[in-house]
Amino acid sequence: MAAALAASGMLPTADLFLRRKLTRPHFCANIEELVGNMKVFCGRANPTTGSLEWLEEDEHYDYHQEIARSSYADMLHDKDRNIKYYQGIRAAVSRVKDRGQKALVLDIGTGTGLLSMMAVTAGADFCYAIEVFKPMADAAVKIVEKNGFSDKIKVINKHSTEVTVGPDGDLPCRANILVTELFDTELIGEGALPSYEHAHRHLVQENCEAVPHKATVYAQLVESRRMWSWNKLFPVHVQTSLGEQVIVPPSELERCPGAPSVYDIQLNQVPSTDFTALSDVLPMFSVDFSKQVSSSAACHSKQFVPLASGQAQVVLSWWDIEMDPEGKITCTMAPFWAQTNPQELQWRDHWMQCVYFLPQEEPVVQGSPRCLVAHHDDYCVWYSLQRTSADENEEVYQVRPVCDCQAHLLWNRPRFGEINDQDRTDQYAQALRTVLMPGTICLCVSDGSLLSLLAHHLGAEQVFTVESSAASYRLMKRIFKANHLEDKVSIIKKRPELLTSADLEGKKVSLLLGEPFFATSLLPWHNLYFWYVRTSVDQHLEPGAVVMPQAASLYAMIVEFRDLWRIRSPCGDCEGFDVHIMDDMIKHSLDFRESREAEPHPLWEYPCRSLSEPQQILTFDFQQPVPQKPVRAEGSMELRRPGKSHGAVLWMEYHLTPDSTVSTGLMNPLEDKGDCCWNPHCKQAVYFLSTTVDPRVPLDGPQSVSYAVEFHPLTGDITMEFRLADTLN
């Protein structure tokens, strides 16, 4: 059934993985069946099969997922956002009152009800707070009541497009102040334009006050080999006994415009040495929220003079919102180099910055004018580069680019970067040289991996590689053809556990090879699917066959985050309003199941320092089949450095050979001072310590963190619990 639902578009698609950072190890979709019953299907990576499977969960599960992994805490901790909204709301209410009118506020997407409470405190006569998510609407009702505003705020549990106006409607009349927080990192990705369009047509008065009043999207054109490596496949160099061999990308990948989805990141963590600015920061387009808004597709061009000559590859983008018509109250997402006061930089994770990739890299010449064009539909933005600014009558709007090479649908941005990492390739090549023998029959098992090409170039007698998806099979066929290896490397379109002797031409495998990497993996240990594959193909291995990697280890370390702790920290009081109910709601949802799970985060974007030494928790011997019984480890980690214990970071290390290990987590030895250096191509797992201990308050005395971690062979899951020793009863 789940497969049919996914095909119908009712379940999340690959675009979800490309567009947004998943911060939970699974995600859910509500499906209302014909009989009217609500079913909750939860997508989970199954390490025993390498598949994404849809499981029916308890009816409350999706609610707990949404609350536990929401951005509400992050938003409540965003003091800059909260203060600016408060200032803008006060000014808007004052302007309406100065005209002798009642201040009637429509708050779309109220969440906790914070902005509505601000409005009433500022003197609004009444607020209509719209919230479509029922558990959140219920919480808003309680928070509003707790703060004593029930007589002035009406919470409406509907989508704003379903709200009615009139004597028998949700609103008796149209509002004259529109307050919203409908924005994501891309500004319009959560449907802000259609929501505003409907509100102006049906819910608010003409020329109403709006908070925010206006948004402006900015862009800067740059050249960046590092960021371009997240979008294109570079030539891969391999040193062999016959000299250097180069694995080249197929022409289809070269010509492909790429995936249309934004890559949202913490741009402040990208060193300025990683890119060259080719343009000034350009204001691309603005949206006036106090007037009728259109969700129709449009384009906006901006002529500029290049600051330097180079290859135009990437557009960095962000936005700001002005809370008042005069533009005196501004909240900006600009990275530090584009801020007037970088010392006052506000950290936030619910709004970051955008990286867009041009369809093709193009040379620009310093001083020679060019034109950057921002295109958008109702939910997405993309960019193109033109020679000169178009005439008024010339249509410059381009349809949303679509990947036609398959690679951008199979490899996410970090995966492109990982494949393009020449140092990583060299490490695998060096390990391969030590295990390849004359007559080696090699079987490669990893999704869309170039290891099979390395094995061939380094002397394997015969190489088989397995691709279980049709798209991955087509992509690898193209790569083999571009490198004239279609007759040298045999690609098998089949799930590895279904391999037969005939697939391997009756030969026994002497080297089983994997990175390992599987596209469905969300947490570091999900790639243990390689171990299950090794177990299922045991009959095809010759006696004494080499498995690479030979083993893997799960490591953990206790850290203090500079900022990431905020997304799971209780808020308590926000701008004078009691939001403890929200804190309790998040804690209850975490206790439902999430507290026993870690969540994936790309920690190169989130600075932290270690408080303990990295500790090996579990080891998995790939030379042996998967065991039948669970493997459990218990112990404690001593906190050797002073600091605030925010959480445990977990990652996998793959032991290619006794002398070569690849880490998906910590990259360099720890130092007493300075931030940890993390693998930029992988997400690490973060287990946040209990929110009942305020992570902002250091605990006195020596501390340790106890842990209990268990690997379950039947499911491939790893369950865990980490606890501050001082919190144990």
Side-chain angles (χ1 to χ4, degrees), residues 107 118 138 205-206 224 276 439 462-463 571 578:
D107 175 10
M118 288 179 174
D138 293 342
Q205 299 174 15
E206 188 176 357
S224 172
T276 300
Q462 188 164 2
V463 180
C571 184
D578 186 345

Side-chain angles (χ1 to χ4, degrees), residues 500-608:
T500 65
S501 178
D503 294 322
L504 301 173
E505 300 175 7
K507 299 176 180 177
K508 291 290 186 178
V509 173
S510 52
L511 172 61
L512 178 62
L513 179 62
E515 299 186 29
F517 171 85
F518 301 100
T520 56
S521 299
L522 299 176
L523 287 166
W525 46 87
H526 287 169
N527 284 322
L528 284 176
Y529 173 53
F530 178 76
W531 201 9
Y532 290 87
V533 170
R534 178 259 176 270
T535 303
S536 67
V537 302
D538 189 66
Q539 61 182 312
H540 302 302
L541 303 182
E542 69 176 23
V546 174
V547 179
M548 188 180 117
Q550 297 179 355
S553 297
L554 177 68
Y555 277 80
M557 185 172 70
I558 307 303
V559 303
E560 176 185 45
F561 287 108
R562 186 187 302 173
D563 296 296
L564 188 63
W565 60 269
R566 302 175 193 274
I567 70 172
R568 296 289 172 262
S569 177
C571 184
D573 179 275
C574 184
E575 303 309 315
F577 302 100
D578 186 345
V579 294
H580 279 92
I581 291 171
M582 188 68 217
D583 295 337
D584 294 341
M585 190 176 178
I586 292 174
K587 182 181 183 302
H588 174 67
S589 293
L590 286 168
D591 289 343
F592 179 74
R593 179 186 291 179
E594 298 295 328
S595 61
R596 299 193 298 275
E597 295 182 339
E599 56 190 72
H601 289 279
L603 290 187
W604 73 268
E605 297 183 52
Y606 302 102
C608 62

Side-chain angles (χ1 to χ4, degrees), residues 74-88 114-115 118 319-321 323 328-334 339 341 344-348 350-351 566 574-575:
D74 181 29
M75 290 187 283
L76 292 174
H77 282 293
D78 189 343
K79 194 167 185 64
D80 178 64
R81 162 194 176 269
N82 299 337
I83 290 175
K84 300 294 175 56
Y85 261 99
Y86 211 166
Q87 292 173 343
L114 176 65
L115 302 185
M118 288 179 174
W319 48 265
D320 65 27
I321 44 178
M323 300 297 184
K328 295 180 180 178
I329 309 168
T330 302
C331 184
T332 182
M333 305 306 117
Q339 295 252 17
N341 294 310
E344 300 177 5
L345 193 70
Q346 169 72 52
W347 183 89
R348 48 175 68 94
H350 59 107
W351 294 331
R566 302 175 193 274
C574 184
E575 303 309 315

Side-chain angles (χ1 to χ4, degrees), residues 36-56:
N37 295 325
M38 184 63 74
K39 301 292 184 182
V40 177
F41 291 93
C42 185
R44 283 177 173 264
N46 184 341
T48 69
T49 64
S51 300
L52 184 66
E53 298 180 351
W54 294 95
L55 306 176
E56 185 175 341

Side-chain angles (χ1 to χ4, degrees), residues 1 29-33 35 37-41 56-57:
M1 178 180 179
N30 288 329
I31 307 299
E32 188 169 355
E33 297 190 328
V35 293
N37 295 325
M38 184 63 74
K39 301 292 184 182
V40 177
F41 291 93
E56 185 175 341
E57 290 280 3

Side-chain angles (χ1 to χ4, degrees), residues 473-489:
Y473 176 81
R474 289 193 297 269
L475 172 62
M476 296 310 296
K477 289 281 281 187
R478 288 174 173 173
I479 293 175
F480 294 155
K481 183 177 180 180
N483 290 275
H484 310 291
L485 296 177
E486 59 264 55
D487 297 328
K488 306 292 185 181
V489 179

Side-chain angles (χ1 to χ4, degrees), residues 635-649:
S636 63
M637 305 173 70
E638 183 180 350
L639 304 182
R640 298 180 177 273
R641 301 175 184 85
K644 306 163 191 175
S645 301
H646 292 147
V649 176

Side-chain angles (χ1 to χ4, degrees), residues 227-515:
M227 286 186 267
W228 195 238
S229 77
W230 300 337
N231 184 58
K232 293 289 185 180
L233 180 61
F234 293 172
V236 177
H237 300 267
V238 188
Q239 299 297 329
T240 75
S241 58
L242 301 177
E244 183 179 80
Q245 300 290 325
V246 181
I247 301 171
V248 299
S251 58
E252 293 91 341
L253 268 73
E254 300 268 272
R255 296 193 304 265
C256 180
S261 305
V262 63
Y263 188 27
D264 49 348
I265 66 171
Q266 293 282 357
L267 202 50
N268 289 309
Q269 297 308 314
V270 177
S272 55
T273 53
D274 279 358
F275 63 90
T276 300
L278 300 180
S279 77
D280 290 317
V281 175
L282 306 172
M284 295 305 300
F285 65 93
S286 296
V287 183
D288 187 337
F289 297 125
S290 69
K291 299 177 181 177
Q292 181 62 57
V293 172
S294 173
S295 63
S296 299
C299 63
H300 311 269
S301 61
K302 183 69 64 172
Q303 187 166 308
F304 68 97
V305 177
L307 301 175
S309 298
Q311 291 293 116
Q313 299 167 326
V314 174
V315 176
L316 309 180
S317 182
W318 57 89
W319 48 265
D320 65 27
I321 44 178
E322 297 174 7
M323 300 297 184
D324 61 322
E326 294 79 22
K328 295 180 180 178
I329 309 168
T330 302
C331 184
T332 182
M333 305 306 117
F336 69 89
W337 69 84
Q339 295 252 17
T340 53
N341 294 310
Q343 295 80 12
E344 300 177 5
L345 193 70
Q346 169 72 52
W347 183 89
R348 48 175 68 94
D349 203 48
H350 59 107
W351 294 331
M352 293 179 281
Q353 294 80 36
C354 301
V355 175
Y356 297 94
F357 304 94
L358 293 178
Q360 298 294 334
E361 61 180 347
E362 297 185 38
V364 297
V365 178
Q366 182 178 12
S368 180
R370 296 296 297 269
C371 185
L372 185 64
V373 184
H375 310 262
H376 73 79
D377 53 23
D378 48 352
Y379 285 92
C380 297
V381 179
W382 60 96
Y383 286 86
S384 65
L385 191 63
Q386 298 189 354
R387 290 291 173 186
T388 57
S389 183
D391 295 333
E392 289 186 9
N393 296 325
E394 184 180 347
E395 179 63 56
V396 296
Y397 177 81
Q398 296 181 2
V399 296
R400 203 174 164 208
V402 176
C403 170
D404 55 17
C405 75
Q406 306 293 323
H408 301 90
L409 304 179
L410 293 167
W411 299 335
N412 60 18
R413 309 301 190 188
R415 178 59 174 167
F416 265 99
E418 185 171 59
I419 292 174
N420 285 322
D421 186 336
Q422 186 65 50
D423 290 340
R424 179 178 181 273
T425 298
D426 292 344
Q427 186 173 1
Y428 276 91
Q430 182 57 38
L432 271 170
R433 292 186 188 98
T434 67
V435 298
L436 283 172
M437 302 296 174
T440 294
I441 306 299
C442 178
L443 174 62
C444 297
V445 183
S446 280
D447 288 349
S449 174
L450 303 185
L451 280 185
S452 58
L453 288 83
L454 290 186
H456 168 77
H457 284 309
L458 292 172
E461 179 175 301
Q462 188 164 2
V463 180
F464 298 93
T465 186
V466 181
E467 297 292 344
S468 56
S469 80
S472 186
Y473 176 81
R474 289 193 297 269
L475 172 62
M476 296 310 296
K477 289 281 281 187
R478 288 174 173 173
I479 293 175
F480 294 155
K481 183 177 180 180
N483 290 275
H484 310 291
L485 296 177
E486 59 264 55
D487 297 328
K488 306 292 185 181
V489 179
S490 301
I491 181 168
I492 305 168
K493 183 183 177 299
K494 184 177 283 189
R495 294 194 58 78
E497 55 267 31
L498 301 178
L499 283 175
T500 65
S501 178
D503 294 322
L504 301 173
E505 300 175 7
K507 299 176 180 177
K508 291 290 186 178
V509 173
S510 52
L511 172 61
L512 178 62
L513 179 62
E515 299 186 29

